């Protein structure tokens, strides 16, 4: 079974703090993604990475950065947390087989910024 | 960009059939995903459609019409455990790494 793990299920941080969210997958997948999920808005893509040290902006990258130093690990960084970044953060890794795609999600990190 | 529309909520009875519609408007379409998400849990993959037509997987089927910008997820023989949110996601043609998600449809199954 594919396993995607995230460093914390619940996190509370103060405004202005630097926040690191870690994601690890154990299936040697090349592609990894960070989303945030907010009620009524669905999942929105923040950043993704298709290889080590490669990253690309998603739809809402402002206020975030990412790091992919090893294939299995993809980190999301909030440089200076703000209250509007309170959200559920979901990491995913993806396998592609021919024309077939499948994303596996981690359990999520519910971040509250006070 | 993508504009993806699905109903907010649906309610059905155990053993019944429910059809969740998803319409999309896109500048470039590659494929469409359906995910299931139970409350407080991560989304899990249900289906991926690229070609027009119906794909069946046990009690769940997914249909796509590319020309109409329309998909549906059909849940048959509903069980209580099917109570969840169902997410429709469109994959862009210009960048097939990017998925755009609808807001999700919450299905409640009643006894």
């Amino acid at each position: 079974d594919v396993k995607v793990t995230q460093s914390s299920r619940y996190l509370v941080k103060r405004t202005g703090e630097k926040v690191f969210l870690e994601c690890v997958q154990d299936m040697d997948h090349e592609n990894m993604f960070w989303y945030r999920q907010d009620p009524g808005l669905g999942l929105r893509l923040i950043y993704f990475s298709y290889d080590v040290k490669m990253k690309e902006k998603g739809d809402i990258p402002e206020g975030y950065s990412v790091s992919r130093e090893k294939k299995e690990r993809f980190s999301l960084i909030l440089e200076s947390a703000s209250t509007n970044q309170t959200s559920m953060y979901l990491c995913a890794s993806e396998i592609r087989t021919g024309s077939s795609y499948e994303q596996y999600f981690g359990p999520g990190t519910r971040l509250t910024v006070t | 960009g993508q504009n993806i529309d699905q109903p907010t909520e649906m309610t059905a009875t155990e053993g019944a059939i429910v059809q969740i519609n998803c319409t999309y408007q896109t500048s470039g379409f590659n494929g469409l995903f359906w995910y299931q998400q139970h409350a407080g849990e991560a989304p899990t993959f249900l289906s991926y459609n690229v070609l027009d037509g119906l794909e069946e997987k046990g009690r769940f089927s997914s249909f796509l019409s590319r020309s109409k910008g329309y998909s549906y997820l059909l849940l048959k023989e509903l069980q209580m455990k099917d109570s969840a949110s169902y997410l429709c996601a469109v994959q862009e043609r210009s960048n097939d790494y990017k998925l755009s998600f609808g807001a999700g449809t919450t299905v409640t199954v009643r006894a």
Side-chain angles (χ1 to χ4, degrees), chain B:
Chain B
Q2 321 281 355
N3 186 15
I4 301 161
D5 195 33
Q6 51 182 131
T8 305
E9 293 180 336
M10 300 182 76
T11 302
T13 308
E14 203 173 9
I17 298 173
V18 71
Q19 178 175 312
I20 306 168
N21 296 326
C22 173
T23 58
Y24 60 88
Q25 294 171 320
T26 175
S27 51
F29 175 86
N30 200 47
L32 188 141
F33 294 80
W34 283 98
Y35 285 85
Q36 180 191 58
Q37 186 177 25
H38 285 102
E41 297 183 12
T44 56
F45 171 84
L46 291 177
S47 66
Y48 174 61
N49 292 67
V50 175
L51 302 176
D52 285 355
L54 185 69
E55 297 213 1
E56 298 188 67
K57 269 189 193 179
R59 294 188 299 112
F60 292 4
S61 303
S62 57
F63 171 84
L64 176 67
S65 169
R66 295 174 69 111
S67 61
K68 294 182 179 175
Y70 169 68
S71 173
Y72 67 73
L73 181 69
L74 195 68
L75 285 61
K76 294 182 271 191
E77 300 168 22
L78 278 173
Q79 301 175 10
M80 299 299 285
K81 67 178 181 180
D82 297 331
S83 291
S85 186
Y86 292 85
L87 313 178
C88 169
V90 170
Q91 182 185 38
E92 292 184 13
R93 185 173 60 215
S94 60
N95 186 336
D96 63 5
Y97 292 101
K98 293 181 75 172
L99 296 186
S100 296
F101 283 79
T105 299
T106 300
V107 172
T108 303
V109 181
R110 294 193 173 149

Side-chain angles (χ1 to χ4, degrees), chain A residues 19 68 80 90 92:
Chain A
V19 182
R68 185 117 181 253
S80 177
L90 290 163

Side-chain angles (χ1 to χ4, degrees), chain A residues 33 37 56 96 99 101 103 106, chain B residues 35 37 42 48 95-97:
Chain A
F33 304 79
Q37 186 174 29
E56 202 165 318
R96 298 188 169 199
S99 60
Y101 305 76
Q103 287 196 3
Chain B
Y35 285 85
Q37 186 177 25
Y48 174 61
N95 186 336
D96 63 5
Y97 292 101

